[in-house]
Each structure stands twice: as C-alpha cells, then as structure tokens.
Amino acid sequence: MQDLNPLPWGALDRFQAQFIVKKETGRNYNNYVAKTKLTTKGHFASKSVAKVEWVGSGSLASKLNADMELNEMIAKQSVKDATIYVEPTVKAVRIRSKWDNHIAFGITKELFEIYDKIAGHIKSV
C-alpha cells in the first residue's frame, strides 16, 4: 500500500540569514550568549510584540537590555522577526533569527539596522 502523505526527499526549502561578527570570545563565550524574551499582546494573526527583554548570563545581555532605542526598534517588528538569537562560534559571534521558507525569506532595512546595532554592542564587549 502506498503512503498517502509521503515525506519529501532531500533538503527542505528553509533558509536563515546569519550575521557574523568577527570577535575572539576566548573562554568568555558566556558573555556573548543572548536571546530575546518577548512580551506579546493579542492572539493568532493579531499577535504583536509589547515589550522586549534580553536573556543571557553575560555582559552582552545587560548591554542590550540597557539600549532602549534598540528594544523599541525590535518591538515594532513581527513576533517572528523579533525573536533574535546571539551565539558565539569559534572565532566569531553569530546573530540569527528563525528559519523561513523561500517565499517569506528576506531581510528588511529595519531588521538590518537592528542587527547592525547588536553587532556594535558585540564589538564593545
């Protein structure tokens, strides 16, 4: 009997923009881990971001929390775009968002400005 819902073969059409900031983290990689914690209002399609807070164990999260202009810029984005992760790699720090399909994938000018401000904070830590 043939499966009525076959699984797709090969890679799926999922994309992710990653912004790489060259920075030697050394043993202090915990300083460069941060993630947005969103306070939302509304439900389903009308869900929007009310407040943004950065969660992390190091000094980067506290610097990002102190930047009120950055947090206001992020709060104007959709819930998907406002979910931002900052993670250290071997010789750099990666800023990324959630995965998108080929239709929804893209970076707006506002998102680029947000990532650029975050990169500035990463360089200053």
Side-chain angles (χ1 to χ4, degrees):
M1 187 163 164
Q2 185 175 358
D3 187 8
L4 297 176
N5 296 318
L7 293 174
W9 291 86
L12 297 175
D13 66 336
R14 300 283 183 246
F15 301 95
Q16 183 182 62
Q18 298 183 358
F19 292 82
I20 307 297
V21 180
K22 289 188 178 183
K23 177 80 175 182
E24 287 286 338
T25 60
R27 292 180 179 247
N28 298 327
Y29 61 88
N30 284 338
N31 279 338
Y32 298 94
V33 176
K35 177 190 179 299
T36 55
K37 179 180 176 186
L38 307 176
T39 304
T40 59
K41 58 184 176 184
H43 298 286
F44 305 113
S46 66
K47 193 175 209 180
S48 62
V49 180
K51 181 182 168 192
V52 177
E53 181 183 347
W54 289 90
V55 178
S57 60
S59 57
L60 177 63
S62 60
K63 278 191 173 219
L64 293 172
N65 276 323
D67 190 347
M68 298 310 285
E69 181 184 351
L70 172 66
N71 294 333
E72 289 174 9
M73 290 169 63
I74 296 172
K76 293 177 185 174
Q77 303 299 314
S78 67
V79 174
K80 183 193 72 61
D81 288 338
T83 305
I84 301 171
Y85 304 90
V86 180
E87 320 166 314
T89 60
V90 177
K91 293 187 178 184
V93 178
R94 173 177 44 214
I95 307 167
R96 67 175 180 87
S97 185
K98 290 188 169 185
W99 292 87
D100 275 333
N101 64 17
H102 69 284
I103 297 169
F105 181 71
I107 298 294
T108 62
K109 181 181 176 187
E110 291 82 15
L111 272 177
F112 184 80
E113 289 174 4
I114 290 168
Y115 292 150
D116 190 47
K117 285 184 76 79
I118 295 170
H121 287 296
I122 291 170
K123 288 284 194 179
S124 69
V125 171

